[in-house]
Amino acid sequence: MSIRAQVISTVNEKGIDEMGPNDLIVKYHSVDVRTRSRLIVYSNQKAVVRFQGQITGVFDPGAHDLQTPANPVSQFFARLQYSGNLPWEVEVLYVSTARHEARSEGSTQTKELVPMRYQVAYYFVISDPVKFINSIQFSELKYTVNDFAVFLSPIVDQSVSQVLNMTSLSEIYANLHKVTDAVTASLRSVMDEMGVNLLTCRIVRLEPEDETMRRIIQFTAIGLDPTTAIRARLAEIMAQRSDPAATNMMLGVPYYPINLVIGGAGVLPQIQQIPPSVKPSEKPRERREEE
């Protein structure tokens, strides 16, 4: 049994920092934290020490010495008293205090029941690591930004749907600020309870799920009237299928193929030239002279 003090940090034995840019919490890989251990906290981090499920200290960036009951002597007596199970379980959780970006996306409907797809981006900083750790649950060694976004997705979806369900399709983009305000207010209320400071929030994407509907809206945005925008979308689909009538659809004029004849193109080789008819009363001039 080793009685040497150990160094605790997010840098592993290979010199690689286990806390990446997408990580919010990194748990130290070993729970055998002995007394007089050296705790190293790097910039944009805070270390939270949890002893038997209760948080006992928060450490700022720098080097710190830990005083824990997890030493070789206490471990020896604990194994005798608790049948080999150590009750002195010490956890070191590193919490990132850097600025992070998370995104939540989903689908909702407008007042006319038109399916809409949205994506919301929000930027935040963890201001209270203790409240943040007590507000979430994670079973792995890391808690990432993606996990936090999944946790907040129902709140974002409720805020977006609350506004869009009462707004018509033609008025959505004029009331986009209402969606942003509703999402910001809901996220800020929840994040404040979790010890997270919301910096800003914005709507990254808000568009119909149907591709044709999206293209028609884009055509009307450049000044086309709805009828011309619909013809432009149909012409686009026809052009993708190599249909020669795509240009006529865009211009709104009929399309007459060159080989269009009565009876179809299949009888075209069988058509012969019909000689001009001669009336019975009119005889050729040479034949009358002979008579």
Side-chain angles (χ1 to χ4, degrees):
M1 182 180 299
S2 175
I3 59 176
R4 294 181 180 179
Q6 60 186 153
V7 177
I8 302 174
S9 69
T10 56
V11 179
N12 56 23
E13 293 79 2
K14 298 181 180 180
I16 301 176
D17 194 350
E18 295 182 357
M19 176 168 283
N22 196 42
D23 298 330
L24 297 179
I25 299 178
V26 174
K27 182 178 179 180
Y28 185 64
H29 61 276
S30 176
V31 296
D32 184 17
V33 180
R34 296 182 293 272
T35 186
R36 302 295 297 174
S37 296
R38 194 69 169 174
L39 178 65
I40 307 297
V41 183
Y42 297 101
S43 60
N44 294 330
Q45 294 180 0
K46 282 191 177 183
V48 178
V49 178
R50 187 163 57 184
F51 170 60
Q52 294 185 1
Q54 183 178 2
I55 295 177
T56 58
V58 180
F59 298 88
D60 295 326
H64 311 273
D65 292 330
L66 294 182
Q67 296 290 341
T68 68
N71 54 67
V73 179
S74 62
Q75 288 181 6
F76 176 75
F77 288 103
R79 291 181 185 276
L80 297 178
Q81 183 178 359
Y82 295 97
S83 302
N85 298 322
L86 294 178
W88 313 113
E89 184 175 357
V90 179
E91 299 174 288
V92 179
L93 305 174
Y94 286 92
V95 181
S96 173
T97 57
R99 178 175 177 267
H100 294 277
E101 174 190 356
R103 298 198 176 193
S104 299
E105 58 183 9
S107 60
T108 183
Q109 293 179 343
T110 63
K111 187 176 181 180
E112 301 87 358
L113 302 181
V114 177
M116 300 290 292
R117 184 172 54 190
Y118 68 87
Q119 186 180 62
V120 179
Y122 40 94
Y123 307 87
F124 62 93
V125 173
I126 299 177
S127 57
D128 193 337
V130 177
K131 293 175 64 176
F132 185 71
I133 290 177
N134 291 332
S135 301
I136 63 169
Q137 294 180 352
F138 68 102
S139 58
E140 303 294 335
L141 296 179
K142 290 186 177 183
Y143 186 81
T144 63
V145 175
N146 298 331
D147 298 331
F148 190 49
V150 172
F151 175 78
L152 295 176
S153 290
I155 301 173
V156 176
D157 184 76
Q158 181 180 2
S159 302
V160 175
S161 301
Q162 187 176 2
V163 178
L164 293 186
N165 291 347
M166 304 299 295
T167 308
S168 60
L169 182 62
S170 59
E171 299 176 354
I172 281 182
Y173 297 101
N175 298 298
L176 194 60
H177 63 282
K178 295 183 180 180
V179 181
T180 305
D181 295 341
V183 175
T184 301
S186 299
L187 287 178
R188 180 168 284 114
S189 176
V190 174
M191 288 185 174
D192 288 343
E193 298 178 357
M194 301 178 62
V196 181
N197 183 21
L198 178 63
L199 300 178
T200 183
C201 176
R202 63 188 181 94
I203 306 298
V204 179
R205 178 183 300 172
L206 182 60
E207 58 186 10
E209 291 186 357
D210 184 65
E211 176 66 21
T212 298
M213 186 69 69
R214 291 200 301 267
R215 295 295 292 167
I216 292 175
I217 294 177
Q218 292 172 355
F219 287 138
T220 55
I222 61 177
L224 299 180
D225 58 274
T227 303
T228 307
I230 294 175
R231 289 206 315 265
R233 174 54 183 168
L234 294 176
E236 183 180 20
I237 297 176
M238 296 170 65
Q240 294 174 356
R241 300 177 179 178
S242 301
D243 195 327
T247 304
N248 298 75
M249 175 59 70
M250 181 61 194
L251 298 176
V253 297
Y255 174 70
Y256 298 103
I258 299 177
N259 60 349
L260 180 62
V261 294
I262 299 176
V267 298
L268 184 61
Q270 302 177 4
I271 297 178
Q272 299 180 358
Q273 185 177 3
I274 302 176
S277 60
V278 180
K279 295 182 180 180
S281 59
E282 296 181 358
K283 297 181 180 180
R285 182 177 180 182
E286 296 180 357
R287 187 175 180 181
R288 286 201 308 264
E289 293 178 354
E290 292 179 355
E291 294 177 354

